[in-house]
Amino acid sequence: MLLEATLEHLADLRSRGVQFVNVDPSTLKALTQSTSPPRSAPAASPRHSRAGEPSPAGRAAPDQRSAGSATATSFPAVSQHARTPSGVPSAQDSSGPPSPTAPPLTALPRRSPAEKAAALEALRQPVIACQQCPHLVQSRTQVVFGVGDPNAQLLFVGEAPGEAEDRAGEPFVGPAGQLLTKIIQAMGLSRDTVYIANILKCRPDMPRGSRGNRAPRPEEMDTCKPYLLQQIDIIQPRLIVALGGTAVQGLLGLQTTMGSVRGRWHEFRGIPVMPTFHPSYLLRSEEGPDRGHREKRKTWEDMLLVLERLQLPITDKMRGYFLKPAPTGGGSAG
Ligand code: URA
Ligand code: URA
């Protein structure tokens, strides 16, 4: 019975693109002894994708449209700075990198902000000295660990450092990063009140003489992902935003189009995950006929869902962003 359920679960995971699960040796041994099913529960626990809750986010009364429309496609920064208090913490010990299918994070004891900060600093040391991918050790300027509030409620997960991030040692500081910063500010937050990290901590190496950035390879992701998982374990964010396909693949094991996953809630070990477009994709879409207005609007709708779920304030102006049709000619966004 249990074996069947396990097989069914594994088949389900595989159908969603998951290629590896952590199974401890004793479980594996038990599984191979077909006469006696494993005593312990399956190593992998199910992850469910939940349909998005119907929500008023993204809709606004006609009078609200005009209110926000002046700032349309540019993700205007607002000065408002909103946070809700975080939960009450206590000590917790960590024991090695958790797997994506480890128990829900919500079941772990809470850590205090000071404990989280100390744990992240302790983790930073081995990460910045990591030598596991010799080719990336060769090519990188430095490891890009992550940035923000160790006690953040909201975690943004990107793909990998690009050229600018490799130089600065900080995630999302190049052109895509500047757009992400604007999105965060438009949400009434700042880079200091959220946490930002990548699936891969080193810039993927590029063939000599070529410019730009390449996507991480599966084996690079597999090698590096435990670091992100430990960051998530420490930070215990209330929500995660997965930026782009690599983050969706890394966190949810889903290999699919962004259009089919964004805009609704998924789950990573008990933490709600909102996939949305990668800011680099938004920048590329600016070359399209509507200058990326539609994709930016979708991204903003996803961020409104995030704000709602965090019970952070949403102003009429914020609801109105991008509601006006895209500009067709020159002139400023609006
Ligand atoms: N793109 C990413 O995914 N991460 C960065 O840090 C920068 C660009
Ligand atoms: N595909 C991706 O991987 N990311 C996006 O943001 C959009 C399409």
Side-chain angles (χ1 to χ4, degrees), residues 82-192:
R83 298 201 74 200
T84 54
S86 60
V88 188
S90 68
Q92 176 216 329
D93 38 283
S94 70
S95 46
S99 85
T101 48
L105 281 163
T106 43
L108 296 177
R110 298 292 199 99
R111 299 187 199 220
S112 74
E115 286 166 339
K116 290 181 181 184
L120 267 190
E121 269 323 292
L123 176 62
R124 183 192 297 270
Q125 301 315 315
V127 173
I128 62 175
C130 182
Q131 310 268 337
Q132 286 191 79
C133 304
H135 60 295
L136 300 184
V137 174
Q138 274 258 313
S139 61
R140 76 188 180 204
T141 306
Q142 57 195 316
V143 176
V144 178
F145 181 74
V147 73
D149 181 358
N151 197 40
Q153 299 188 71
L154 181 55
L155 170 68
F156 288 87
V157 175
E159 180 174 293
E163 191 181 358
E165 290 77 21
D166 172 72
R167 226 181 297 124
E170 185 173 328
F172 283 103
V173 295
Q178 285 159 30
L179 179 54
L180 177 63
T181 302
K182 279 196 214 167
I183 294 171
I184 290 169
Q185 288 170 344
M187 295 170 79
L189 303 168
S190 77
R191 285 174 70 97
D192 299 334

Side-chain angles (χ1 to χ4, degrees), residues 137-307:
V137 174
Q138 274 258 313
S139 61
R140 76 188 180 204
T141 306
Q142 57 195 316
V143 176
V144 178
F145 181 74
V147 73
D149 181 358
N151 197 40
Q153 299 188 71
L154 181 55
L155 170 68
F156 288 87
V157 175
E159 180 174 293
E163 191 181 358
E165 290 77 21
D166 172 72
R167 226 181 297 124
E170 185 173 328
F172 283 103
V173 295
Q178 285 159 30
L179 179 54
L180 177 63
T181 302
K182 279 196 214 167
I183 294 171
I184 290 169
Q185 288 170 344
M187 295 170 79
L189 303 168
S190 77
R191 285 174 70 97
D192 299 334
T193 60
V194 302
Y195 201 88
I196 307 173
N198 286 309
I199 297 277
L200 200 67
K201 307 301 191 208
C202 291
R203 182 187 183 204
D205 57 344
M206 296 293 291
R208 191 178 291 276
S210 68
R211 290 191 56 85
N213 300 305
R214 71 161 169 87
R217 299 189 188 109
E219 66 273 17
E220 292 167 339
M221 289 172 65
D222 288 341
T223 304
C224 205
K225 220 167 68 182
Y227 292 142
L228 175 68
L229 302 185
Q230 288 178 81
Q231 288 174 308
I232 295 174
D233 249 22
I234 293 168
I235 297 166
Q236 298 185 13
R238 279 180 57 197
L239 288 185
I240 299 175
V241 171
L243 298 165
T246 298
V248 167
Q249 158 87 50
L251 286 175
L252 304 173
L254 295 172
Q255 243 173 330
T256 179
T257 62
M258 187 51 64
S260 69
V261 288
R262 62 149 288 277
R264 57 194 181 88
W265 292 105
H266 299 255
E267 205 178 290
F268 173 80
R269 293 182 55 206
I271 304 179
V273 177
M274 178 58 70
T276 198
F277 294 116
H278 193 286
S280 298
Y281 170 81
L282 296 180
L283 290 178
R284 288 197 300 278
S285 76
E286 283 179 353
E287 279 143 40
D290 75 343
R291 308 220 315 255
H293 184 94
R294 268 183 41 206
E295 307 301 66
K296 286 182 183 171
R297 173 68 211 173
K298 289 177 191 163
T299 303
W300 183 241
E301 281 169 9
D302 299 343
M303 296 306 100
L304 289 176
L305 292 172
V306 167
L307 288 174

Side-chain angles (χ1 to χ4, degrees), residues 3 26-38:
L3 187 57
S26 63
T27 307
L28 207 57
K29 198 168 166 216
L31 278 169
T32 54
Q33 293 162 353
S34 55
T35 45
S36 56

